[in-house]
Every structure is written in C-alpha cells, then in structure tokens.
Amino acid sequence: MDQPKKKFYTPGEALPKIAAYCAYQERTTKEVEAKLREYGLTEDEAGEIIIRLSREKLLDEERFAKSFVRGKVGIKKWGRRRITQELKQKGLSEYCIKVGLKEIDGDVYYQNLLDTLEKRNRVEKEGNQRLRRQKLTMFLTVKGYENDLIKMALDDLGKEAEEE
C-alpha cells in the first residue's frame, strides 16, 4: 500500500491553513513551526508566518501557558513541578511558564492534592503503614506535587484516620 503523497504548500496557501490550526486550540511556536515545516516551508518562510500569527494574536505563548495550566490543574490534577516540566518540553520560556503558573489558586491546588491522595489511599493495597506512605508519596511526586505539600497532606490524612 502506497503512502499518500505529502502535499507541499506555498507560504500563501499555508497561512490560512495554519491560522485555522491556531484558531482551533492554543498552540506553541514549536508546534506551529513543526507543522509549517511539514508543509514544506523553509525556516525563513515559517518564521515570517509565525511573526504574522503572533502579531495577529493567533499565536500567543503566554495565553497557551495559562490555558495549559488551568487544564492540567483543573482536569488532570497535576502539580506545579509536572506542569513546569511539560511546558519546558513544549519549548516555552521561563517567563511564559511563570505567567502560566500564576493561574493556580493555592486553595484549589491543595484541595486537588488532598482529593488525589484520598482517592489513591482508598485503592492502595499496601498494609504496612511506612510502605503505604512511601507509595502514596511516590504517586503524588509523579503527579508533580512538591514534597513539603505531600508531607503536609499525608500528615493531615493521618490525623483524619486517627479521629475516626
């Protein structure tokens, strides 16, 4: 079976396509550049289109970072460290990452951590309390939460267990 031939576009043909791509959902410059290169455009042509998209506010990395952070905190319940790591991988500047992280409400964030911990604690099969705590800590670390907050949440969970 033959691979479908890749279609190459002129900068004029690529602009409306990439504008629609950016309008559909927030994108990073890195993603847009990769897409333009797939279209067969040179680095210079891609660069010019990216500048134009930025000027027309179709491409805005600060807006991308804010949207990304809100989504990952609200839906995936990720921690700051994981979000920061993902944004770095997407090629965002430290400045954009900081702007994005300001979208996090501290109270909501800690509540997410507690909810995630309680949910995981209900399904954790480990009986040994020390090992159980280790496993829960590891799970929350992978989710991207900070160690001091994890310790605080585990201590809170321990107090609740004693009160019951």
Side-chain angles (χ1 to χ4, degrees), residues 1-153:
M1 186 130 164
D2 287 334
Q3 285 268 321
K5 278 187 85 112
K6 279 187 77 115
K7 181 157 173 27
F8 291 108
Y9 299 95
T10 65
E13 294 168 330
L15 185 61
K17 282 187 74 67
I18 203 72
Y21 178 71
C22 290
Y24 177 69
Q25 80 178 44
E26 295 293 342
R27 309 279 181 189
T28 65
T29 303
K30 195 174 171 183
E31 289 171 318
V32 172
E33 188 174 3
K35 189 61 125 176
L36 289 168
R37 301 291 281 175
E38 277 177 32
Y39 291 168
L41 298 181
T42 67
E43 199 174 321
D44 289 344
E45 290 168 335
E48 283 175 31
I49 289 177
I50 286 170
I51 289 168
R52 186 163 171 190
L53 293 170
S54 298
R55 229 183 270 133
E56 293 174 13
K57 295 285 182 220
L58 279 166
L59 187 59
D60 183 336
E61 291 199 332
E62 280 182 43
R63 197 173 60 212
F64 174 88
K66 287 177 178 181
S67 168
F68 185 88
V69 169
R70 281 191 305 270
K72 297 308 177 197
V73 169
I75 299 161
K76 296 261 191 190
K77 311 269 187 257
W78 282 3
R80 283 186 188 93
R81 289 173 37 216
R82 172 110 184 243
I83 292 170
T84 301
Q85 193 177 359
E86 294 282 331
L87 288 172
K88 279 181 184 170
Q89 276 183 330
K90 291 185 175 296
L92 267 73
S93 68
E94 288 293 326
Y95 173 78
C96 287
I97 293 171
K98 276 195 182 95
V99 169
L101 290 174
K102 284 183 183 154
E103 292 293 298
I104 298 175
D105 174 302
D107 296 338
V108 171
Y109 185 75
Y110 190 67
Q111 193 55 54
N112 281 351
L113 169 57
L114 288 175
D115 294 346
T116 305
L117 172 59
E118 285 167 10
K119 192 171 167 187
R120 185 62 182 209
N121 191 37
R122 282 195 297 271
V123 297
E124 181 54 59
K125 290 172 176 56
E126 183 58 60
N128 179 319
Q129 281 307 100
R130 195 176 58 77
L131 289 177
R132 181 185 199 91
R133 193 176 166 107
Q134 254 178 357
K135 283 185 167 190
L136 292 170
T137 300
M138 198 63 217
F139 176 76
L140 293 169
T141 302
V142 170
K143 283 287 243 184
Y145 288 99
E146 300 86 339
N147 292 336
D148 55 333
L149 289 179
I150 293 172
K151 187 182 179 327
M152 212 158 71

